[in-house]
Amino acid sequence: RGGEEEEEEEEGWHQLYPGHIPTSPLQKALLAAGSAVMALYDPYRHDMVAVLGETTGCLALPNLRDKMKNHPEGYHILQERPRIRLSTLDMARLQGLPDGSLGREYIRFLEDNKVSPDTRMPPKFVDDEELAYVIQRYREVHDLMHTLLGMPTNMLGEVVVKWFEAVQTGLPMCVLGAAFGPLRLSTRKLQVLATELVPWAIRSGLNASCVLNVYYEQRWEQPVESLREELGIFPPP
């Protein structure tokens, strides 16, 4: 290990957290361009979407971190660094919660759409340990955004959630997904998206308080409708 540390020092870089890959601005630009092309070609390439988010979030992530630091619940999250994974979820307890509660509806979303929180990739290219946690937290609450917004994981649902997240976070990755995701939709779905869903997602994103400032693990019993109202998310169309 001592030899590895000496080699890192000689090369002028070091790991800030496990899995961190230091990159220069040029390398980040190349990674961003390549991942953007691949993500547009196949929006379900979550690895490419993840790389795009990390290499283009240099302005948005500090802003999100500051919003969390300036909010009591967000600051608490930054201090405790909770993780949403199968190993941290009491699945039996969440399944036993009343219908309509955040925990029960979140588990229902995972089961209905056959998704798992463990598929969220750990950050690699964010050159700040605290900001790396911020983007990790954003990824792990993404399914909770689907739950709060009442959106499935099909392309239409993903585009709607991306519009909401783009307004909320300012992450270029979300803006790109919101702008180009509709290209894969049918004419009928585009009409519904343009006339109903996007206007609602934008209004909700602008009206809602920062969704990263919610300690969801302490809110499982809260009714989804109550949390929507508290955050300022308008009821889904």
Side-chain angles (χ1 to χ4, degrees):
R1 180 59 192 150
E4 290 177 6
E5 290 176 350
E6 289 177 6
E7 183 179 341
E8 289 174 2
E9 289 177 2
E10 289 175 3
E11 294 179 2
W13 61 269
H14 63 281
Q15 280 194 319
L16 299 174
Y17 49 85
H20 173 235
I21 301 175
T23 48
S24 68
L26 176 58
Q27 288 171 320
K28 280 187 172 61
L30 293 172
L31 283 167
S35 60
V37 171
M38 290 303 299
L40 289 173
Y41 177 74
D42 182 1
Y44 291 103
R45 280 291 302 271
H46 298 299
D47 55 340
M48 293 294 98
V49 174
V51 172
L52 180 62
E54 294 175 33
T55 54
T56 61
C58 55
L59 297 179
L61 289 176
N63 183 48
L64 288 171
R65 187 260 317 275
D66 292 345
K67 286 183 178 180
M68 295 178 74
K69 281 190 170 181
N70 293 322
H71 186 276
E73 202 164 338
Y75 181 75
H76 193 193
I77 293 167
L78 281 178
Q79 293 298 110
E80 295 198 348
R81 305 282 181 91
R83 296 290 307 276
I84 300 178
R85 302 183 63 79
L86 291 178
S87 60
T88 65
L89 295 174
D90 186 343
M91 301 293 285
R93 172 175 167 264
L94 296 181
Q95 288 170 337
L97 290 174
D99 289 343
S101 64
L102 177 65
R104 182 67 191 94
E105 297 309 315
Y106 173 61
I107 295 301
R108 194 190 313 278
F109 169 83
L110 296 180
E111 292 172 344
D112 288 350
N113 294 280
K114 296 179 174 58
V115 294
S116 166
D118 287 359
T119 60
R120 303 300 169 190
M121 294 183 61
K124 296 179 181 178
F125 302 107
V126 179
D127 295 329
D128 181 285
E129 188 267 341
E130 193 171 46
L131 296 183
Y133 175 75
V134 172
I135 199 165
Q136 182 75 56
R137 183 66 174 175
Y138 156 74
R139 288 174 184 165
E140 292 183 358
V141 304
H142 175 75
D143 289 335
L144 283 158
M145 295 304 98
H146 277 273
T147 305
L148 283 172
L149 298 173
M151 290 293 130
T153 57
N154 59 21
M155 186 56 66
L156 180 63
E158 289 291 352
V159 169
V160 174
V161 173
K162 277 292 177 282
W163 273 101
F164 176 83
E165 291 180 339
V167 174
Q168 271 277 309
T169 68
L171 285 166
M173 170 200 67
C174 296
V175 175
L176 194 68
F180 290 96
L183 295 177
R184 293 175 174 267
L185 297 176
S186 66
T187 302
R188 181 179 63 83
K189 288 182 178 179
L190 278 173
Q191 184 177 3
V192 174
L193 186 73
T195 59
E196 295 183 37
L197 295 176
V198 167
W200 164 73
I202 292 175
R203 285 194 306 116
S204 290
L206 291 171
N207 189 64
S209 53
C210 180
V211 294
L212 291 185
N213 286 334
V214 179
Y215 208 140
Y216 296 97
E217 296 89 332
Q218 299 178 355
R219 306 285 200 110
W220 294 131
E221 294 86 357
Q222 184 172 356
V224 170
E225 290 187 7
S226 168
L227 185 53
R228 280 183 191 145
E229 185 176 348
E230 178 185 333
L231 288 171
I233 297 173
F234 299 113

